[in-house]
Each structure stands twice: as C-alpha cells, then as structure tokens.
Amino acid sequence: MEKEQKYLFIDFEFTMPEGKPKPEGFFPEIIEVGAILVKGEEVLHEFSAFVKPKKFPILSERCKNFLKISQDRVDQGILFEELVNMLVDLEMDQPSVVVTWGNMDMKVLRNNCQNAGVEFPFKGKFVDLSMEYKRFFGDQNQTGLWKAVQEYGKEGVGKHHRALDDAMTTYNIFKLVEKDKKYMENHQPTTIGDRIDLSKVMNKFAL
C-alpha cells in the first residue's frame, strides 16, 4: 500500500429477483453501501447507508431473506443520486484506488449510473482483490470473501452480506495480501541445493 495514495474499500448489496425468469426490465440496483477510505495506515472515513431502489422499489422475498434487509430500511434510505454525490466528495482532492472483492460492485454501480443519467463517480484505478488473491495463491477458482479470510486463519468482520462489514473484511484481506507480497519480495526462493544436501545424494548413488 502506497503511503500517499488513497484507497477506497467498498461493498454494495443489490436487489435480486424472486427467481427465474426475471421481471421484464429488471437489473440489480444498489440498496446498501459500505465504504472505508484509507491513506497509509490511517482510516480517514467510513460510512454505510441504505439506498432506495428506483426501478423496482419493492424488495423480493428472496432478497430480504438472503441479505437480511427489511423493506422499511431501504424505504428510509438515501437516494441513489445522494450516494453518487457522497462518492464524488471522497474523490475531491485526489482519485482513490477503488478496491472491491469481485467485479460486480463496479459493474452494478456503472449500470445504475447509466440508468439514472448521472456520471460515474470514480476516475482512478480499480483493483478486484478476489483476482489478486487468486493470482497470488494460484487458486483455480475465485474464492468467496469470507472463505478467503478464513484461509488466513481469521474471521470476517461482523456479518457477511452487510456492506460495511464486507468492506472492512476486504480491507483486512488487502493488508494481509500486501504483507505477504512484501515478504515474498524480501525472500528469494530457495534452490533445490538449499533444500537437499546434494553431497549425501551423490554419495548414495556412488555406492
């Protein structure tokens, strides 16, 4: 993590249809946001909010049960335009590196901006930490957020599928991965000669 660079760890929860087929014109809408702004080791700002969906304002039973979010909470949430303004405010002095677990958060945000006719709020770099994690550990498949943190011998923060808790868990994994990267950079891989006493091997074959 670069000391002078801002990092924004962000997680959204979205609406979901009851099942297949989807209602005509359905697209996932952001209904909860959790965000943590970090510079160096300092958390500058964190916030969470529920967001009112526009196109399909009534949550499906599947959505409420899966995310444990009530209709009342989103009804009392902020407007999507207010969310975008809050994200723009975070970017005022310099663009952030936006870090998410998976690529859906930014896809849905971009799509929601297009549907609302507002400008996408971010100008900087994006990091899909799930892909970084996959590449670093050589996993065949992408790993879920909480499975990844458990593989480190840790636990996720708070409750899974609560936006701020998932954003904080993403931040924690980011720090662990960065620490491992630095360790790997500072330690050259051992050669086969370091791991095996070759003189013993040669003596064995000489007999």
Side-chain angles (χ1 to χ4, degrees):
M1 185 181 285
E2 297 174 34
K3 286 186 179 178
E4 296 307 311
Q5 176 63 59
K6 287 193 311 182
Y7 291 81
L8 182 64
F9 298 87
I10 197 163
D11 184 82
F12 298 123
E13 303 300 339
F14 327 120
T15 57
M16 54 182 72
E18 195 60 60
K20 295 180 181 179
K22 296 176 184 175
E24 187 176 346
F26 179 87
F27 59 90
E29 292 177 85
I30 293 168
I31 53 173
E32 189 184 10
V33 55
I36 299 159
L37 186 66
V38 177
K39 192 172 185 178
E41 293 293 317
E42 184 185 359
V43 175
L44 301 177
H45 186 62
E46 62 178 72
F47 74 89
S48 66
F50 291 100
V51 183
K52 293 180 184 178
K54 279 184 168 184
K55 180 76 173 175
F56 289 86
I58 305 302
L59 302 184
S60 67
E61 289 302 315
R62 174 177 167 232
C63 181
K64 289 188 286 187
N65 291 335
F66 185 77
L67 298 178
K68 304 292 189 288
I69 292 177
S70 69
Q71 185 68 49
D72 285 346
R73 280 182 158 177
V74 297
D75 287 346
Q76 294 166 25
I78 62 175
L79 297 174
F80 176 72
E81 289 79 3
E82 292 178 76
L83 166 63
V84 173
N85 288 337
M86 289 168 73
L87 297 176
V88 168
D89 286 345
L90 294 177
E91 296 285 281
M92 288 302 283
D93 56 337
Q94 72 177 104
S96 305
V97 174
V98 178
V99 184
T100 57
W101 189 267
N103 62 8
M104 276 301 291
D105 297 276
M106 289 303 107
K107 279 185 177 178
V108 171
L109 177 60
R110 198 176 291 278
N111 179 258
N112 284 191
C113 286
Q114 287 171 350
N115 278 282
V118 298
E119 192 174 344
F120 188 71
F122 299 123
K123 309 288 186 193
K125 181 184 172 187
F126 300 99
V127 173
D128 175 354
L129 189 58
S130 72
M131 290 303 292
E132 292 265 318
Y133 184 93
K134 178 183 173 182
R135 281 193 293 267
F136 186 70
F137 288 103
D139 287 351
Q140 291 281 320
N141 302 307
Q142 275 180 272
T143 304
L145 174 62
W146 280 41
K147 185 183 175 199
V149 80
Q150 286 166 354
E151 285 174 354
Y152 263 112
K154 312 282 185 182
E155 288 298 325
V157 176
K159 294 180 179 178
H160 195 12
H161 297 305
R162 292 311 308 271
L164 185 59
D165 292 341
D166 283 357
M168 183 60 80
T169 300
T170 302
Y171 174 42
N172 289 340
I173 294 177
F174 182 85
K175 288 188 289 185
L176 291 166
V177 171
E178 288 295 301
K179 186 178 176 183
D180 278 352
K181 280 182 182 175
K182 282 182 182 171
Y183 177 84
M184 295 295 283
E185 284 168 7
N186 294 333
H187 290 75
Q188 293 296 321
T190 57
T191 65
I192 192 167
D194 295 325
R195 296 194 295 266
I196 301 171
D197 185 342
L198 289 178
S199 62
K200 289 182 180 177
V201 174
M202 298 307 290
N203 286 340
K204 182 179 177 183
F205 282 107
L207 293 173

